[in-house]
Amino acid sequence: MKTYIVILILLIINSELFAQSLFENAGNELSDNEKKQENLNVDINGYIRGVFYIGENIADNIAEFKSLYGETALKLKADKGEFGNAFAEIRYRNGYQFGKEFSLVELREVYINAYISKFDFRVGKQIVAWGKADGFNPTNNITPNDMTVRSPNADDIRLGNFLIKSKFSINSKLNFEGIWIPRYKGSVLPLELTPLPQGITLGEPIYPDASLKNSGYAFKFNFIFPEIDGSVSYFNGYNPMPGINFGIPEMLPDSTMSISFNTIAYKQQVIGFDFSTTLNNYGLRGEIAYRNTEDDYKNKSYMPNPDLQYVLGIDRTFGDFSIIAQYVGRYVIDFRKLDEPEDTTLIIDYELKNYNRLFFGQTEKITHSVSLRPAISLFYVTLSLETFVMYNITTDELLLFPKLTYSITDALKLSVGANYYYGKENTLYDLIDKSMSSVFFELKASF
């Protein structure tokens, strides 16, 4: 019933939008100048790039090409001035990845905006990223990610989903957002990249259907002042990051047992707060979110425990050099230590719980991490070096993303870098290290 009420609220908020067409003519006769203003302003841009990744082969520890592809993207924006605009981005990628050839056409985003008085209204496939922190955003729960994407641009892991988004501007400093998520779309996990135990296969995802009761919604109140800006947010729906579940065991003709391994969606509620401000020459940012899952999380290992996630960061710029430093923490509510059972019949259930805790970041009751992002521009901004480092103090896991970019011209850039994962045995980064650690090369032309 709550979902229906929220949908009704969103429709009422935007009822003014249906009072007139986006491209409606106000008068009968228009001057030549007015006719020009009635025309759409169309802007087209995009890029072409070639990328390859080299890493270590899992089986025999020799160097191999992890990924080789060419990609082109076309972005189209049609602007109607004060009435609204429309945007679409389509990408085509062809090459080799994860041991096989692939060809992919992706309509990454396609939506239309309408502006009526103090209301903004957006409908279509969109990517929404909430939060002020760098690289880790606990308040960001709207659209999914593809964790298997290999790209020098970190934003390329983001996936679009069909949304109905509304914003009401109270004034220049305060506004209110509402988002309705009609249909669930889950994140892509790197499950195929890690060796599975014998007898376990990866099955189809178990996701909710397009019933109205399965839709999700979110609200956010934004404040923007000279001294500080931030937001208070709320999300209710299925988490874009699914859990992992085992199906019913099946006995094969050769008397061996087979078990399917599926991703499965679960519901959650998230209340969050974020802010950014300045103190003298330093920038300060923070983010905190409380996640509450369904009541039976204790009996369903594919659901995470409720938890509290928080980030506090500071940044500073010194001429051509900048640095962002952050502390990232997580507190798991009702945490219980997971011990390997002596009874071998319980091993599969133990492995399932362990996999989920790894992906949820809930292997310990409290975890502490730090991240750094130093960056420098040289030779009149033609050469830039940026590195993102994140170290989990509690689990002893390290993530390192260095990247060097040389601007041959304003529209032609060469980038080289690496993705490096390190983790102790039985940690998440230990599982994906050899699959995802690699060096990369990119040549990109923009137009």
Side-chain angles (χ1 to χ4, degrees):
M1 185 63 185
K2 290 182 179 179
T3 301
Y4 294 93
I5 294 173
V6 171
I7 295 169
L8 181 61
I9 292 173
L10 288 173
L11 292 176
I12 291 174
I13 287 176
N14 294 286
S15 60
E16 287 191 44
L17 298 174
F18 299 97
Q20 69 179 71
S21 166
L22 178 63
F23 307 129
E24 183 180 6
N25 292 330
N28 296 324
E29 297 295 333
L30 299 175
S31 67
D32 290 340
N33 184 54
E34 289 173 329
K35 286 180 181 179
K36 290 180 180 179
Q37 292 178 357
E38 285 295 304
N39 295 330
L40 285 171
N41 295 318
V42 179
D43 180 39
I44 300 176
N45 60 73
Y47 64 81
I48 299 171
R49 65 174 176 171
V51 181
F52 67 80
Y53 281 75
I54 299 176
E56 184 179 356
N57 183 281
I58 297 176
D60 47 23
N61 299 325
I62 63 173
E64 68 173 357
F65 285 102
K66 294 287 188 179
S67 181
L68 300 152
Y69 65 85
E71 181 182 65
T72 182
L74 189 66
K75 301 178 184 180
L76 171 67
K77 183 176 181 180
D79 195 350
K80 193 59 182 177
E82 61 179 308
F83 295 104
N85 58 52
F87 176 81
E89 179 181 356
I90 186 170
R91 296 183 179 185
Y92 173 67
R93 179 184 294 189
N94 182 277
Y96 169 88
Q97 186 162 275
F98 305 132
K100 57 185 177 181
E101 301 288 334
F102 76 96
S103 184
L104 176 65
V105 178
E106 177 190 15
L107 192 58
R108 192 166 190 247
E109 288 190 279
V110 53
Y111 57 78
I112 187 167
N113 292 315
Y115 309 136
I116 306 296
S117 184
K118 294 185 176 182
F119 293 92
D120 295 354
F121 190 54
R122 175 179 293 182
V123 178
K125 188 176 183 181
Q126 311 165 44
I127 294 174
V128 174
W130 281 2
K132 301 287 186 184
D134 178 45
F136 180 79
N137 304 104
T139 63
N140 187 32
N141 297 277
I142 308 300
T143 49
N145 295 319
D146 186 347
M147 309 306 293
T148 66
V149 166
R150 293 186 187 273
S151 173
N153 183 3
D155 282 342
D156 285 344
I157 70 169
R158 302 186 188 278
L159 297 174
N161 194 11
F162 186 93
L163 308 174
I164 297 176
K165 182 181 177 183
S166 173
K167 184 171 76 172
F168 172 69
S169 298
I170 301 171
N171 53 44
S172 61
K173 297 180 176 61
L174 304 172
N175 64 71
F176 180 81
E177 291 183 45
I179 296 177
W180 179 29
I181 310 164
R183 184 173 180 271
Y184 177 79
K185 184 174 182 179
S187 292
V188 180
L189 303 181
L191 300 178
E192 294 182 328
L193 306 184
T194 57
L196 298 178
Q198 185 176 3
I200 296 179
T201 59
L202 184 61
E204 294 296 319
I206 303 174
Y207 292 161
D209 59 28
S211 301
L212 194 61
K213 65 179 181 179
N214 291 327
S215 61
Y217 56 89
F219 296 110
K220 186 165 72 161
F221 177 74
N222 300 292
F223 54 91
I224 307 167
F225 297 103
E227 300 83 8
I228 186 173
D229 63 85
S231 69
V232 179
S233 59
Y234 173 74
F235 169 83
N236 189 320
Y238 286 91
N239 190 345
M241 182 64 70
I244 303 169
N245 194 39
F246 284 144
I248 300 174
E250 295 182 8
M251 190 64 69
L252 300 178
D254 61 356
S255 299
T256 60
M257 186 175 293
S258 175
I259 302 176
S260 63
F261 187 80
N262 313 82
T263 54
I264 182 169
Y266 61 89
K267 280 192 171 182
Q268 67 175 15
Q269 298 182 62
V270 181
I271 300 174
F273 169 76
D274 62 54
F275 78 93
S276 64
T277 186
T278 57
L279 181 62
N280 295 326
N281 294 321
Y282 293 89
L284 300 176
R285 64 183 76 193
E287 197 166 334
I288 184 169
Y290 167 69
R291 171 174 59 179
N292 183 32
T293 50
E294 296 176 359
D295 295 336
D296 53 352
Y297 68 88
K298 294 181 181 179
N299 302 317
K300 295 182 178 179
S301 56
Y302 63 82
M303 288 186 188
N305 284 33
D307 60 16
L308 189 67
Q309 303 172 59
Y310 34 91
V311 187
L312 183 62
I314 184 170
D315 60 83
R316 177 73 190 270
T317 299
F318 305 88
D320 294 327
F321 175 78
S322 64
I323 186 169
I324 302 173
Q326 290 186 151
Y327 163 77
V328 180
R330 184 193 301 264
Y331 174 79
V332 181
I333 298 170
D334 196 25
F335 177 83
R336 297 178 184 179
K337 188 173 179 58
L338 185 63
D339 296 315
E340 186 171 350
E342 296 181 359
D343 187 349
T344 56
T345 62
L346 300 176
I347 290 295
I348 292 179
D349 183 64
Y350 165 80
E351 293 289 348
L352 172 62
K353 292 178 180 178
N354 186 55
Y355 266 117
N356 280 298
R357 290 195 179 193
L358 290 176
F359 281 109
F360 296 148
Q362 294 191 347
T363 56
E364 303 290 341
K365 184 178 182 66
I366 302 176
T367 53
H368 307 282
S369 303
V370 292
S371 71
L372 288 174
R373 189 187 294 273
I376 188 170
S377 297
L378 302 170
F379 307 115
Y380 303 100
V381 202
T382 59
L383 185 68
S384 63
L385 174 62
E386 178 183 297
T387 301
F388 178 77
V389 185
M390 189 165 187
Y391 177 65
N392 190 317
I393 301 170
T394 307
T395 62
D396 195 19
E397 292 177 274
L398 176 67
L399 174 66
L400 179 62
F401 286 174
K403 179 181 176 181
L404 178 68
T405 301
Y406 173 62
S407 298
I408 302 171
T409 68
D410 290 341
L412 184 62
K413 294 184 179 181
L414 171 66
S415 297
V416 293
N419 301 334
Y420 175 71
Y421 298 82
Y422 165 81
K424 284 187 175 180
E425 188 176 359
N426 297 323
T427 61
L428 177 61
Y429 288 174
D430 174 55
L431 288 176
I432 67 174
D433 174 17
K434 290 187 178 181
S435 299
M436 299 299 291
S437 291
S438 52
V439 296
F440 66 80
F441 170 96
E442 177 193 55
L443 188 60
K444 183 177 181 180
S446 302
F447 60 86

